[in-house]
């Protein structure tokens, strides 16, 4: 196995070349990773992965992200105990987003909430599909 | 209502100032928007929103995104007929991601798949939480 250095990040990656060739990364070499509870469907959080974080997520059974603020890898749960055990990983149709289904231990959010989307629901108009509205 | 021009994009936005002040945008003035089917929990797609796309999503009952490739707003379903009727919108804990729960008409993916994550499931090791493994 050859470790390749990614030009966008300057960091080495062991990601399978067949997967790496399908990834469309942003200017920082990252893709957003949506993390979802595998059985309930809850969207838990969105993190960021470079090639090596995706490689580690695919090969260790635990989610690894790239921290944009700290500029380092982090394995979810190593500090908090709130691990994410990987159930499946998929790329989207144009290779610029990852969906990771996991079994989340405890709270996904650093605030202690189950998900990062629990606390700030915005006021919005809702829509109704025409057939549901009886049109 | 005052239209403000966003410095990152140069585009005017009508987004409520109280929401705009909580948004943490990328260098292009965008945040990723995760779109989820409100009743089944399917993650349908990830798009991108600037302030005005979020404003339109919040106020029209239909999802509006910013197309990074075409550099224009698009209302999901206007071309395909596969509208997304908004049920709720939430910001995440640090204001850099949006979760939109919708009622998706037909296929969310331009390929005709129900979701953008159906076609490219990657080989991965799976993990098991210790208690589930009987440890």
């Amino acid at each position: 196995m050859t470790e390749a250095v990614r030009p966008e990040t300057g960091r080495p990656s062991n990601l399978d070349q067949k997967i790496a060739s399908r990834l469309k990364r942003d200017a920082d070499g990252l893709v957003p990773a949506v993390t979802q509870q595998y059985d309930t469907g809850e969207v838990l959080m969105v993190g960021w992965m470079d090639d090596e974080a995706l490689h580690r997520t695919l090969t260790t059974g635990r989610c690894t992200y790239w921290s944009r603020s700290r500029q380092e890898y982090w394995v979810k749960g190593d500090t908090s105990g709130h691990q994410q055990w990987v159930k499946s990983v998929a790329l989207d149709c144009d290779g610029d987003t990852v969906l990771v289904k996991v079994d989340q231990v405890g709270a996904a959010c650093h605030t202690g909430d189950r998900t990062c989307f629990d606390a700030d629901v915005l006021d919005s108009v809702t829509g109704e599909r025409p057939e549901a509205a009886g049109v």
Side-chain angles (χ1 to χ4, degrees), chain A:
Chain A
M1 168 150 41
T2 323
E3 224 179 41
V5 172
R6 289 297 316 167
E8 305 89 348
T9 61
R11 294 188 292 271
S13 160
N14 290 296
L15 183 65
D16 185 317
Q17 257 310 315
K18 291 193 293 293
I19 300 171
S21 68
R22 297 205 294 284
L23 275 188
K24 292 206 191 104
R25 307 160 193 81
D26 70 11
D28 297 319
L30 304 174
V31 294
V34 179
T35 312
Q36 182 181 34
Q37 175 68 25
Y38 79 107
D39 49 2
T40 64
E42 296 162 285
V43 174
L44 299 165
M45 55 174 278
V46 172
W48 295 84
M49 293 187 184
D50 66 0
D51 287 51
E52 178 63 15
L54 177 55
H55 171 73
R56 295 183 191 182
T57 298
L58 289 170
T59 55
T60 65
R62 296 269 304 278
C63 277
T64 296
Y65 302 94
W66 177 257
S67 168
R68 297 179 299 175
S69 53
R70 298 192 306 275
Q71 291 284 300
E72 62 181 19
Y73 295 103
W74 58 289
V75 180
K76 177 72 180 174
D78 269 2
T79 305
S80 64
H82 296 161
Q83 302 96 347
Q84 294 175 334
W85 300 96
V86 174
K87 298 302 177 187
S88 68
V89 184
L91 286 186
D92 79 342
C93 54
D94 50 9
D96 65 4
T97 311
V98 174
L99 176 64
V100 189
K101 295 187 183 182
V102 303
D103 190 8
Q104 169 74 54
V105 176
C109 189
H110 73 284
T111 63
D113 283 341
R114 171 66 177 171
T115 91
C116 292
F117 298 97
D118 290 353
D120 198 358
V121 178
L122 304 176
D123 284 335
S124 65
V125 169
T126 61
E128 202 74 37
R129 66 166 75 202
E131 55 267 51
V135 176

